[in-house]
Amino acid sequence: MNIDKDQIRMVIALFVVAIIAAGVTGLTDIFTRAPIAAAQKLALHQALQQVLPEHRNDPQAEVFSIEDTAIYPAKRANGELTGLAWEVVAPDGYSGSIRILVGVRPDASIQAIRITYHRETPGLGDGVTKNKPWLASFVDQTLTSKNWKVKKDGGDFDQFTGATITPRAVVKAVKAALEFFHSHHKIMLEQASKHSDIAHKEAGIE
Amino acid sequence: MNKSDILADGFWHNNTIFTQLLGMCPLLGVTTSAENGFWMGAATVLVLIGSNLVVSMVRGVIPKNVRIPAYITIIAAFVTVVEMAMNAWMHEMYLVLGLFIPLIVVNCAILGRAEAFASKNSISDSLVDAIAVGGGFTFALILLGGVREILGQGDLFGFSVFGESYPDVLMFILPPGAFIALGFILAGINIFNARLQRNADTRAQAVQALPKTAEVTS
């Protein structure tokens, strides 16, 4: 077989370009990994501040997981649990899944909810992030205090003009979050207090 | 071609959006506000400067047959770097622009500059070209984003223009509004360019006519 010089040159050129490109992106990855983690942590911190009741601990430092769900506990300075927050995913948004951070008090009522990720239509479905009265309609509710459907489906939550699918998906997901708490609250509260012991011992408080 | 010609050509006469109608995907996708348009443009400018510089440096070294895959690899590397940097230091804007940042790789305007300009011109000319073309692209994104933000939400760069009572015109936030606004902008720019041309023509005629009238009067 006869391989001419041009072919070898082509292979070498592409090889060198690819190696350098991989090196540059690899280096950038090394340099940006820590800042990206910090930015994500800050974004989560801000979201948690909005959905959790008053607390003095660092919910992210005391995170524990139940059935692959990361749960962030909020505690007072004396270790008393004031709430828990975790993220639920609504897979049936109008364009892709919607992520919702739900803050729940130990008595199974909602402290607040916040949309952390969505790709809904601007001006229509994205009302779930902007419409404050609508978001407030979840506050203090429990699994039994409301009919967890949008009004169009015979429930208690408003849909928006021109957008029913997005609110329907969010309502369904928040209901699922409360059901998750209902079926797992024992282990959740137990885990949360156990972690507080460890955290406090580590901090030398007790 | 001197550098001011390259600047004027890249920014206005051969504007990626207004004249060539390239890069429509990011243009229509992210321009729901002027700020989104600005940052998308800034990301594109960075990629364009990087790719034009490197392509210009390796011109003559890369064999002709594999130049396109080599350029795409170079562009993709710069896009990935910009994407990671935005994720790290501009996290919120990164979440807003989302998928459109990796899609800069397939913005044909960038490969177009690599192929049509940087592979044939000096490093300094390629840098000027990248700034001019990128600047023109960013200008178009901010213009369309601004028009849609003002008409759609009554705001500009997040500041209220028409006050709180302005009823949001949903159509301008949605994709059809992008097409309609772009159509009117293109029409306006064509009228403007035609006027410029006509003025230039009449001035040229006047200059030609001058010596003759001078002869008559003397």
Side-chain angles (χ1 to χ4, degrees):
Chain A
M1 214 172 89
N2 190 7
I3 302 173
D4 66 63
K5 271 185 184 163
D6 282 351
Q7 277 171 314
I8 295 173
R9 273 194 56 196
M10 281 184 230
V11 172
I12 291 173
L14 269 188
F15 182 75
V16 170
V17 168
I19 287 285
I20 294 173
V24 169
T25 47
L27 274 179
T28 314
D29 178 51
I30 291 170
F31 284 118
T32 54
R33 201 170 280 176
I36 288 173
Q40 284 168 342
K41 201 178 168 199
L42 180 68
L44 180 60
H45 172 77
Q46 285 165 348
L48 284 171
Q49 288 303 111
Q50 292 180 9
V51 300
L52 282 173
E54 59 142 326
H55 58 276
R56 283 299 184 82
N57 66 330
D58 177 5
Q60 288 191 63
E62 294 187 44
V63 63
F64 58 95
S65 83
I66 287 169
E67 291 186 0
D68 292 333
T69 304
I71 302 189
Y72 302 94
K75 291 167 192 169
R76 291 215 173 87
N78 63 7
E80 184 198 342
L81 188 73
T82 57
L84 296 162
W86 63 96
E87 203 172 55
V88 283
V89 179
D92 43 5
Y94 188 70
S95 42
S97 50
I98 306 164
R99 294 174 163 275
I100 308 143
L101 195 65
V102 183
V104 179
R105 304 183 193 113
D107 67 356
S109 64
I110 290 179
Q111 169 76 20
I113 69 162
R114 189 172 188 252
I115 312 292
T116 48
Y117 176 88
H118 76 98
R119 284 267 161 267
E120 299 304 295
T121 318
L124 291 172
D126 78 339
V128 295
T129 65
K130 291 176 185 160
N131 190 329
K132 296 219 167 83
W134 189 80
L135 285 168
S137 70
F138 287 89
V139 173
D140 295 338
Q141 304 308 327
T142 64
L143 207 48
T144 49
S145 70
K146 286 258 179 183
N147 186 0
W148 287 83
K149 283 174 181 168
V150 290
K151 282 181 180 158
K152 211 176 192 174
D153 301 337
D156 289 335
F157 291 93
D158 285 324
Q159 60 268 357
F160 307 135
T161 318
T164 308
I165 292 171
T166 312
R168 184 187 281 151
V170 172
V171 169
K172 200 169 136 191
V174 176
K175 185 190 180 193
L178 287 177
E179 281 168 346
F180 182 75
F181 184 76
H182 184 75
S183 55
H184 295 82
H185 68 278
K186 240 181 206 162
I187 186 163
M188 281 167 104
L189 297 178
E190 196 179 287
Q191 286 272 341
S193 52
K194 189 162 74 189
H195 281 256
S196 100
D197 293 347
I198 295 166
H200 279 246
K201 268 173 201 154
E202 275 172 0
I205 293 170
E206 279 180 350
Chain B
M1 213 160 139
N2 65 31
K3 294 209 165 42
S4 63
D5 283 345
I6 298 174
L7 265 178
D9 212 53
F11 189 86
W12 189 259
H13 301 301
N14 254 327
N15 187 292
T16 317
I17 299 293
F18 299 141
T19 309
Q20 302 182 24
L21 293 178
L22 290 177
M24 288 289 120
C25 165
L27 175 78
L28 300 170
V30 303
T31 55
T32 48
S33 74
E35 196 190 359
N36 290 0
F38 173 78
W39 287 112
M40 185 66 201
T44 310
V45 170
L46 286 179
V47 172
L48 198 50
I49 288 175
S51 76
N52 257 16
L53 282 181
V54 173
V55 167
S56 176
M57 275 176 217
V58 299
R59 71 186 194 282
V61 182
I62 304 280
K64 233 181 156 189
N65 296 342
V66 292
R67 69 187 191 285
I68 300 293
Y71 297 163
I72 291 282
T73 311
I74 292 166
I75 294 167
F78 278 109
V79 169
T80 312
V81 168
V82 168
E83 187 191 2
M84 286 193 270
M86 279 189 93
N87 191 355
W89 292 292
M90 296 193 55
H91 197 66
E92 275 174 31
M93 191 43 67
Y94 170 80
L95 293 180
V96 171
L97 296 179
L99 185 65
F100 287 101
I101 298 174
L103 278 179
I104 295 174
V105 177
V106 290
N107 185 336
C108 39
I110 294 176
L111 182 62
R113 289 334 282 169
E115 167 74 4
F117 196 95
S119 64
K120 294 166 189 155
N121 288 283
S122 71
I123 294 174
S124 62
D125 280 359
S126 298
L127 176 66
V128 174
D129 180 70
I131 293 168
V133 171
F137 184 71
T138 308
F139 170 67
L141 260 74
I142 295 174
L143 185 64
L144 186 61
V147 167
R148 289 178 69 191
E149 195 180 350
I150 287 179
L151 295 177
Q153 303 175 49
D155 297 348
L156 188 61
F157 282 103
F159 297 107
S160 184
V161 176
F162 296 136
E164 284 296 309
S165 61
Y166 183 78
D168 292 0
V169 184
L170 201 53
M171 190 187 70
F172 281 100
I173 305 170
L174 297 178
F179 282 101
I180 293 168
L182 178 65
F184 277 101
I185 289 173
L186 287 178
I189 282 174
N190 282 347
I191 292 170
F192 178 75
N193 278 341
R195 284 246 170 95
L196 270 186
Q197 188 62 45
R198 210 182 311 141
N199 285 350
D201 287 350
T202 46
R203 216 174 298 137
Q205 280 172 2
V207 170
Q208 278 180 346
L210 256 179
K212 283 180 194 164
T213 45
E215 274 171 21
V216 174
T217 45
S218 60

